[in-house]
Amino acid sequence: MSNATPLGVTEEQIAAAEAELGIRFPDRLREVWKTYNCNELPGGWRVYPVFDPANPRKTAGSITYENLRGAWGRHVMTLGLISIASNGTGNQLVLKVDEGQAGAEIFFWQHDTQKLKAWKPGFDSIAGRAAKARDNVQRLRQTFGTRER
């Protein structure tokens, strides 16, 4: 399993994304990306990955891309927010940013009303899904082995 593709990203890759965005992510989100970088949540939410040059196809819609080039991400950044996930309808999961530090509470941003409300599942939900996805992939790798692309 040593030649298997890593499931998470490195501290350096996260730091590069932070430098590009000019913010520091909360430690809990950083740990999610290190655990598993391509997370899907119930309700159609896709947590933006950190761009990984070893896996460009899966990480093309990265956190930096979506916030610097995506229409909704660019908009929420003007509101002092950073988008960390979307559900494909324009709605976003966001963090408040204060003096370059992204907050530790996740908010649901409704694109029609542009209102924020606390997203109750929070980081525990995202971290739990990341760990479960990582464990499932590792179990499959152990069962079926890995193949180089």
Side-chain angles (χ1 to χ4, degrees):
M1 209 159 56
S2 62
N3 62 357
T5 305
L7 301 175
V9 290
T10 65
E11 185 68 33
E12 292 77 19
Q13 289 167 315
I14 296 168
E18 289 175 328
E20 192 171 347
L21 290 165
I23 65 164
R24 166 90 178 164
F25 292 110
D27 290 341
R28 295 205 59 205
L29 183 56
R30 296 164 68 66
E31 290 305 315
V32 164
W33 284 321
K34 290 178 199 176
T35 299
Y36 194 78
N37 192 33
C38 297
N39 292 291
E40 302 284 332
L41 303 172
W45 291 105
R46 177 180 171 269
V47 178
Y48 299 134
V50 170
F51 181 74
D52 181 356
N55 200 349
R57 188 178 62 191
K58 277 196 169 182
T59 62
S62 69
I63 188 114
T64 52
Y65 178 85
E66 293 298 337
N67 281 282
L68 296 176
R69 294 172 191 86
W72 293 115
R74 286 194 328 256
H75 179 71
V76 300
M77 285 188 81
T78 67
L79 304 173
L81 307 168
I82 187 88
S83 179
I84 63 166
S86 87
N87 67 359
T89 67
N91 297 329
Q92 308 287 307
L93 295 181
V94 300
L95 306 174
K96 293 180 179 179
V97 178
D98 185 30
E99 296 183 13
Q101 175 65 52
E105 184 178 4
I106 301 173
F107 294 90
F108 172 83
W109 180 79
Q110 213 285 333
H111 79 282
D112 286 336
T113 63
Q114 299 200 23
K115 303 261 186 214
L116 288 177
K117 68 178 181 180
W119 188 64
K120 297 291 184 196
F123 277 115
D124 288 343
S125 174
I126 295 173
R129 294 292 286 197
K132 184 176 181 179
R134 178 203 57 214
D135 293 347
N136 287 340
V137 171
Q138 288 175 336
R139 193 171 13 268
L140 288 170
R141 285 179 172 175
Q142 289 172 346
T143 302
F144 298 106
T146 59
R147 288 191 279 166
E148 291 299 310
R149 293 180 201 179

